[in-house]
Amino acid sequence: MKLDSIVPWGRSFEEYRSVFALSEDDLDKRLLGCGDGPACFNAELTQRGGTVVSVDPVYQFTGDQIRSRIEEVYPQIMRQMEQNSDNYIWESIKDVSALGQVRMAAMQQFLSDYDSGLEAGRYTCASLPTLPFDDQQFELALCSHFLFLYSDHFDVAQHIEGMKELCRVATEVRVYPLLSLDGKRSKHLSTVIEALEGNGVRTSLQPVDYQFQKGATEMLVAYAV
Ligand SMILES: C[S@@+](CC[C@H](N)C(=O)[O-])C[C@H]1O[C@@H](n2cnc3c(N)ncnc32)[C@H](O)[C@@H]1O
């Protein structure tokens, strides 16, 4: 992974909470965030007394490197969002400029926490399909805006291996969204579900309240056996 190939973009704690329908009980669990990048879920949950580890290949870079890359790509992402704004529901976030503020605040919070989190082992550099964790080390793994979203970049076998690995390290796995970048349901979803069920993993599609990308109304929940 090269620094100039990454596009850091991170969501807020409240977005994670809504995207994954996280209850207060869920927030007390041993949590894993897979592909958390510069989201501030880890920073804020830690501040609230929760237990969470984030894993992402981007954590091979220093905070200064990630910060400079955020500053570089931010205007490009804002332009793309303006161009594609019809694909989103502008209610809880009222427009592209408000979106920029929410995401930038989340990434700043991540950056402020990054060095101490690295030292504490809360940010771990690794990539699916191989995670450096014990079987069932976590009670709940969350994967936001990575699996299924990049269905044209990662094939179905990679999705199946990734999901199996998440089910190895966590008792329950939640993934959102189930759409790919073109806004359509991921072409891998049904095959991945069949493969997991064939492997003894129970799955269900559950509605979420979060409304932003049009059509992204469900998360996949998988329960390892
Ligand atoms: C669009 S970002 C989502 C960031 C965050 N989860 C959020 O929702 O705000 C996708 C993240 O997936 C990470 N990623 C890419 N390949 C990965 C892999 N093989 N395993 C885990 N994470 C990966 C990227 O580095 C990036 O941080």
Side-chain angles (χ1 to χ4, degrees):
M1 181 178 262
K2 293 205 174 110
L3 185 62
D4 61 10
S5 70
I6 65 164
V7 183
W9 196 236
R11 285 166 185 79
S12 70
F13 177 82
E14 287 309 329
E15 285 181 288
Y16 261 60
R17 190 136 93 162
S18 166
V19 152
F20 292 115
L22 294 171
S23 65
E24 288 302 320
D25 279 354
D26 289 331
L27 294 174
D28 283 339
K29 291 178 179 164
R30 293 189 311 278
L31 289 166
L32 173 69
C34 181
D36 275 350
C40 71
F41 181 69
N42 189 318
E44 191 155 338
L45 186 59
T46 302
Q47 220 171 43
R48 290 169 179 241
T51 306
V52 57
V53 172
S54 297
V55 63
D56 197 297
V58 95
Y59 303 149
Q60 68 191 267
F61 300 112
T62 66
D64 283 344
Q65 287 174 315
I66 299 174
R67 185 192 313 277
S68 71
R69 189 64 190 149
I70 289 172
E71 283 163 9
E72 208 173 315
V73 300
Y74 181 80
Q76 298 163 24
I77 300 179
M78 286 291 98
R79 269 197 302 278
Q80 279 168 15
M81 289 302 300
E82 291 281 4
Q83 281 159 11
N84 300 324
S85 65
D86 285 352
N87 299 338
Y88 298 89
I89 298 163
W90 299 100
E91 277 174 17
S92 60
I93 298 175
K94 73 175 186 353
D95 56 26
V96 174
S97 142
L99 175 75
Q101 284 167 21
V102 170
R103 295 288 153 79
M104 204 45 134
M107 293 190 284
Q108 295 291 1
Q109 193 175 350
F110 159 80
L111 287 168
S112 308
D113 178 57
Y114 185 53
D115 286 342
S116 58
L118 274 180
E119 213 173 291
R122 286 189 288 109
Y123 296 110
T124 299
C125 177
S127 310
L128 284 177
T130 308
L131 300 180
F133 305 121
D134 294 335
D135 293 357
Q136 304 298 295
Q137 183 172 330
F138 302 97
E139 291 167 287
L140 177 58
L142 308 173
C143 184
S144 160
H145 295 83
F146 170 52
L147 285 174
F148 299 114
L149 187 62
Y150 296 99
S151 287
D152 288 334
H153 300 73
F154 297 94
D155 65 20
V156 70
Q158 289 170 307
H159 275 75
I160 293 170
E161 287 314 303
M163 282 301 297
K164 281 187 182 166
E165 181 68 347
L166 287 171
C167 291
R168 179 186 71 75
V169 301
T171 320
E172 181 183 339
V173 179
R174 299 183 193 175
V175 186
Y176 177 94
L178 306 177
L179 307 183
S180 38
L181 286 172
D182 59 7
K184 300 196 177 118
R185 177 168 278 222
S186 161
K187 60 188 174 193
H188 303 321
L189 183 62
S190 55
T191 314
V192 172
I193 288 175
E194 270 169 39
L196 291 173
E197 295 273 347
N199 226 42
V201 172
R202 271 190 305 124
T203 64
S204 70
L205 297 178
Q206 293 185 15
V208 297
D209 288 338
Y210 185 73
Q211 288 277 330
F212 188 49
Q213 189 185 6
K214 283 182 185 165
T217 54
E218 289 179 320
M219 65 175 165
L220 172 65
V221 184
Y223 304 94
V225 278

